[in-house]
Amino acid sequence: MFNKQMTIALPSKGALEKSTNELLAACGLRVRRPNERQYVGSISMPEYMPELTVLFQRAPDIFTKVEEGIAELGITGYDVVCEHQEEHDDVIVICDKLGYGKCSLVLAVPESWIDVATIEDLADLALLFKEKGKTLRIATKYTNLTKNWLYEKRIVNFSLVEVQGAIEAAPNMGYADMIADITSTGTTLKENRLKQIEGGTILESEACLIGNKIRLREDESKLEVTKYILELLEAHQKAKKFISITANVHGKSEQEICDRLTKEHKINGLAGRQGPTISKVYSHTENDWFAVTIVVEQNMLMPAINHLRQVGGTDITVFSPNYVFDEKSRLYQSFIDELYQEHS
């Protein structure tokens, strides 16, 4: 018997909540939340699938809920996952790029450090601190990522000051020399008289989908829900690249029009991804009209329009598909391969 309940943890507030809800809604997975003060909601699913309960949490807490198995799935920042995944290997990254919440974990120093502009300069400074019997103090919430990255750069003379509040204030307050923190525009750093150093990007991050390996492996129905979600996400993201164009074309037959479309085009893709779809138009006046539909990449819109015009196309309409499905979900297959490879 299928367990008729499954939980996904989603961001409870801020830009990440808004973008997550918008993406899921665009994929036909509308999130229902009675009001902002309630922390449990739902997503409508087909009747043959388990109910999908939504647990609204702060982005940093979503990883914990998934790791503990309270939620089988979760959407949070990739930076949060990378910071904690080393300590908790029950969490799997199912999709690391959902297309929003983009930011970078960077090293930043006071603007007054005019001689420190690159990671090489920082390495020299760390050695200078050591010669003077001092340690370079770095304020951050990302102790694991920062430590490991600096070790890779062979910078070892530092100490990490773990801060949960406004990290940017640490150098001005005197309890750290510099910071490692998340930034998307750099504005907050500038407002606090800090600057990123060249070569000092520790991690590029955006929203990602994660899951609890054990909870997903133990119940086939939960894998079916995960597949359903991934299919929609993947097809929706792919659809953003394409447009569907339909034109009425005068001709003797489907084959004759197909020959004109495929022989005369000069740029790959102007006859559609696999080729044109051609069907008879039943006109009250003439019987030799055909509807031609091609699917092309967004940036090929006008070349494709002009190509259809050249072969006699008229009454041209353009649609943006909501989904483009492949023969199978590569995203889901990649997830399954990783899920069971680690289990074997």
Side-chain angles (χ1 to χ4, degrees):
M1 290 290 293
F2 284 168
N3 180 356
K4 290 294 183 181
Q5 186 175 3
M6 186 170 174
T7 300
I8 182 170
L10 299 180
S12 60
K13 60 183 179 180
L16 206 57
E17 178 207 15
K18 183 175 183 292
S19 297
T20 297
N21 290 347
E22 288 175 351
L23 173 64
L24 293 176
C27 295
L29 299 165
R30 191 169 300 279
V31 178
R32 289 182 172 83
R33 186 179 187 181
N35 61 67
E36 293 182 358
R37 292 183 296 276
Q38 291 193 355
Y39 290 91
V40 177
S42 63
I43 294 177
S44 294
M45 299 292 286
E47 292 183 1
Y48 59 87
M49 287 189 175
E51 296 177 4
L52 190 53
T53 299
V54 176
L55 181 63
F56 297 101
Q57 296 285 296
R58 295 187 316 122
D61 295 333
I62 289 173
F63 180 92
T64 302
K65 298 302 180 186
V66 173
E67 190 274 328
E68 292 174 347
I70 295 172
E72 286 85 0
L73 300 173
I75 292 179
T76 188
Y78 186 61
D79 54 299
V80 174
V81 178
C82 290
E83 173 64 18
H84 298 292
Q85 197 172 24
E86 182 179 302
E87 305 162 353
H88 306 283
D89 62 0
D90 285 341
V91 176
I92 184 172
V93 177
I94 301 173
C95 177
D96 62 354
K97 294 180 180 179
L98 292 178
Y100 61 93
K102 295 182 180 181
C103 57
S104 303
L105 175 60
V106 303
L107 292 172
V109 301
E111 290 179 346
S112 58
W113 290 14
I114 58 175
D115 293 330
V116 180
T118 68
I119 189 63
E120 291 79 15
D121 295 336
L122 185 65
D124 292 339
L125 182 66
L127 289 175
L128 182 61
F129 269 48
K130 184 176 181 180
E131 291 172 1
K132 294 183 177 182
K134 299 169 61 180
T135 301
L136 189 64
R137 299 168 301 162
I138 306 173
T140 187
K141 299 176 185 176
Y142 299 89
T143 55
N144 291 327
L145 285 170
T146 303
K147 175 187 64 179
N148 293 338
W149 190 86
L150 288 171
Y151 283 166
E152 288 178 4
K153 300 296 181 181
R154 299 186 179 181
I155 300 175
V156 297
N157 184 49
F158 64 87
S159 62
L160 298 178
V161 181
E162 191 167 359
V163 180
Q164 295 303 323
I167 295 176
E168 294 84 2
N172 288 330
M173 297 295 291
Y175 55 86
D177 301 301
M178 56 179 291
I179 71 169
D181 199 17
I182 287 292
T183 183
S184 54
T185 63
T187 302
T188 304
L189 294 178
K190 291 178 182 178
E191 289 176 347
N192 287 274
R193 298 181 180 179
L194 298 170
K195 63 179 181 180
Q196 295 178 226
I197 61 173
E198 184 180 339
T201 299
I202 297 172
L203 180 75
E204 298 287 356
S205 175
E206 60 184 89
C208 68
L209 176 67
I210 60 175
N212 182 287
K213 299 175 186 176
I214 298 172
R215 295 295 299 275
L216 292 174
R217 279 196 296 250
E218 70 184 8
D219 192 329
E220 182 182 343
S221 67
K222 293 175 181 177
L223 286 179
E224 284 298 313
V225 172
T226 304
K227 181 179 181 181
Y228 181 78
I229 293 171
L230 288 180
E231 287 267 19
L232 294 175
L233 286 172
E234 184 177 44
H236 177 68
Q237 288 181 328
K238 187 167 187 176
K240 294 177 182 179
K241 302 177 183 178
F242 298 101
I243 48 175
S244 176
I245 307 174
T246 298
N248 289 329
V249 180
H250 193 272
K252 297 178 181 178
S253 67
E254 291 95 331
Q255 187 60 53
E256 187 260 341
I257 291 174
C258 178
D259 291 341
R260 282 154 55 190
L261 278 166
T262 55
K263 287 180 180 178
E264 295 179 16
H265 78 89
K266 303 297 183 183
I267 304 174
N268 290 336
L270 288 187
R273 296 191 67 207
Q274 301 296 335
T277 299
I278 304 173
S279 58
K280 180 79 174 169
V281 174
Y282 292 90
S283 172
H284 294 295
T285 57
E286 298 181 68
N287 293 323
D288 47 3
W289 282 98
F290 295 85
V292 177
T293 300
I294 59 175
V295 176
V296 299
E297 294 187 6
Q298 287 271 4
N299 59 1
M300 299 301 293
L301 171 61
M302 288 314 302
I305 295 289
N306 290 330
H307 177 53
L308 287 169
R309 285 170 171 165
Q310 288 170 7
V311 298
T314 187
D315 304 322
I316 301 172
T317 56
V318 180
F319 299 93
S320 296
N322 198 38
Y323 304 103
V324 174
F325 290 93
D326 285 327
E327 66 278 4
K328 64 179 180 179
S329 172
R330 292 177 174 83
L331 189 57
Y332 179 71
Q333 189 59 54
S334 176
F335 154 63
I336 286 295
D337 290 344
E338 184 178 353
L339 183 68
Y340 286 105
Q341 179 181 13
E342 294 181 1
H343 189 52
S344 60

